[in-house]
Amino acid sequence: MTMPHERTRAVVQTHDFLIELARDASLPERIRRDARFLLRHYPSRRDMVLAGRIEENAETLPIGALGPVFSSTFTQ
């Protein structure tokens, strides 16, 4: 089972990878354009930390019934 900090790390690393793809001039324009398109609505590192904090502090809210999905801390 994936732990919240592992899930958060995977999302952050995917964001970083999409940035690399978008900036890599050796790749076809279509790949770079698709990466930029995906990044438009992909959560940033700050978004992920905020989501983790909200979930970790949502003990009294029904959204926390299954436990947190994301974590406010992660290691790379």
Side-chain angles (χ1 to χ4, degrees):
M1 179 163 147
T2 304
M3 301 301 293
H5 71 278
E6 295 168 325
R7 191 174 296 112
T8 302
R9 182 180 61 233
V11 172
V12 169
Q13 288 175 339
T14 300
H15 181 269
D16 294 344
F17 178 66
L18 287 171
I19 289 173
E20 284 181 42
L21 291 178
R23 293 178 178 169
D24 190 342
S26 69
L27 293 173
E29 176 57 30
R30 182 180 134 309
I31 300 294
R32 291 182 286 147
R33 184 183 64 237
D34 288 351
R36 285 190 302 271
F37 175 80
L38 292 170
L39 281 165
R40 289 179 56 204
H41 302 290
Y42 203 85
S44 68
R45 181 180 301 254
R46 185 177 359 161
D47 294 334
M48 294 307 303
V49 170
L50 179 59
R53 285 186 184 150
I54 289 169
E55 291 182 8
E56 290 165 355
N57 294 311
E59 295 171 358
T60 60
L61 300 174
I63 61 169
L66 299 174
V69 176
F70 297 108
S71 171
S72 62
T73 59
F74 59 93
T75 57
Q76 283 200 251

